[in-house]
Amino acid sequence: MRTVASPWIRNFQPAPDAPAQLVCLPHAGGSATFYLPVARALAPGTDVLAIQYPGRQDRRREGFVPSVQQMAELIAGEIRALLDRPTALFGHSMGAAIGFEVAALLEADGVDLLGLFVSGRRAPSATRDEAVHRLADRELIEELKRLEGTEPTVFDDDELVQMFLPVVRADYRAIETYRHRGGPALRCPIVVLTGDTDPHVTRAEAEAWAQHTTGGYELVSFRGGHFYLLDHAGQVIGVLSERISGALAAH
């Protein structure tokens, strides 16, 4: 049985005999624990590795990574030694952009991925000018409340708010300044998951992911906003399980 000993990786529900593994990348302000339910639900059929970015929870004393590309390079370096079985990537929001860049780096090294699941994020070719990271604290908090991805009681604890706001701001700066550098389309299939009222992703911006792969593209839409997956966790996990099983059969 392999040992996962990296500050970047959490293996909450080890599944050493699983035929496939899924690497999960959190959203802006998020942490690896966001994917604990996914790890429990997919085991023992899929081994889930959740990425823990610097600057939060047990890594809170570490400096923030300033860009999506740099984050992707660091993560790709960490997981290369763990690609001992067919691997897929899943990322929500900022994690989707990071996952795309990680997939590109791994494929450039000759890795054949099972697939890339991107959630709550427009395609790299669909850019917007955004500056949430420049908002005053009060306005930034209102934006987080609007997205409904943070437990409301968190905002009642001023000490906790002051602890996580710098994390959120740094992550927003990284994703809002992200611009895809171009390069070949991915070889692996891309499955796009989106909420039909997500203010950050229009239907056209979600469909634009098709331009970034030669391996097949699928769009799965759910009712809801940016954090639709909290209300449809079972269905999202079902999509992950079914598509990973199908990709394994064709691998």
Side-chain angles (χ1 to χ4, degrees):
M1 180 177 177
R2 71 180 179 182
T3 300
V4 180
S6 167
W8 287 85
I9 299 169
R10 302 291 178 271
N11 193 199
F12 296 119
Q13 192 80 30
D17 299 322
Q21 66 184 352
L22 180 67
V23 178
C24 295
L25 303 114
H27 53 280
S31 63
T33 50
F34 184 76
Y35 292 110
L36 175 58
V38 178
R40 288 174 172 166
L42 291 181
T46 300
D47 198 20
V48 173
L49 304 179
I51 298 298
Q52 182 79 312
Y53 306 139
R56 65 216 69 207
Q57 293 185 335
D58 57 322
R59 303 190 71 188
R60 64 186 178 278
R61 299 188 188 282
E62 299 180 45
F64 302 117
V65 179
S67 75
V68 165
Q69 283 93 349
Q70 186 177 346
M71 186 82 83
E73 289 166 3
L74 291 167
I75 292 168
E78 290 292 322
I79 66 175
R80 278 189 181 97
L82 299 172
L83 301 178
D84 58 350
R85 69 194 83 178
T87 300
L89 307 176
F90 174 80
H92 178 67
S93 195
M94 180 182 77
I98 295 173
F100 172 74
E101 294 290 342
V102 171
L105 290 169
L106 294 178
E107 287 196 347
D109 284 347
V111 177
D112 291 322
L113 295 168
L114 285 178
L116 170 66
F117 297 90
V118 290
S119 167
R121 180 67 192 174
R122 57 190 175 272
S125 55
T127 59
R128 296 187 190 183
D129 290 326
E130 297 175 308
V132 173
H133 69 278
R134 295 196 183 116
L135 294 176
D137 285 356
R138 181 174 298 178
E139 295 169 311
L140 182 55
I141 289 170
E142 289 306 312
E143 171 65 12
L144 295 176
K145 289 180 178 178
R146 185 172 70 93
L147 293 178
E148 298 181 336
T150 305
E151 180 64 38
T153 55
V154 168
F155 300 108
D156 297 329
D157 187 330
D158 289 339
E159 185 176 344
L160 191 57
V161 168
Q162 293 308 312
M163 186 181 299
F164 79 73
L165 273 185
V167 178
V168 173
R169 193 178 298 281
D171 285 354
Y172 266 90
R173 183 183 300 112
I175 190 58
E176 290 180 340
T177 58
Y178 165 65
R179 295 295 181 270
H180 177 45
R181 298 170 180 168
L186 297 182
R187 300 188 300 272
C188 70
I190 295 179
V191 178
V192 183
L193 300 95
T194 187
D196 61 3
T197 59
D198 187 342
H200 290 297
V201 188
T202 65
R203 178 85 181 190
E205 289 172 330
E207 291 174 343
W209 277 102
Q211 305 169 18
H212 296 278
T213 179
T214 60
Y217 153 87
E218 179 185 4
L219 176 62
V220 185
S221 182
F222 298 87
R223 292 181 62 84
H226 192 60
F227 282 94
Y228 71 89
L229 70 177
L230 296 178
D231 295 324
H232 302 284
Q235 292 170 271
V236 171
I237 288 168
V239 170
L240 296 174
S241 180
E242 291 170 13
R243 302 310 185 273
I244 290 172
S245 295
L248 265 178
H251 193 65

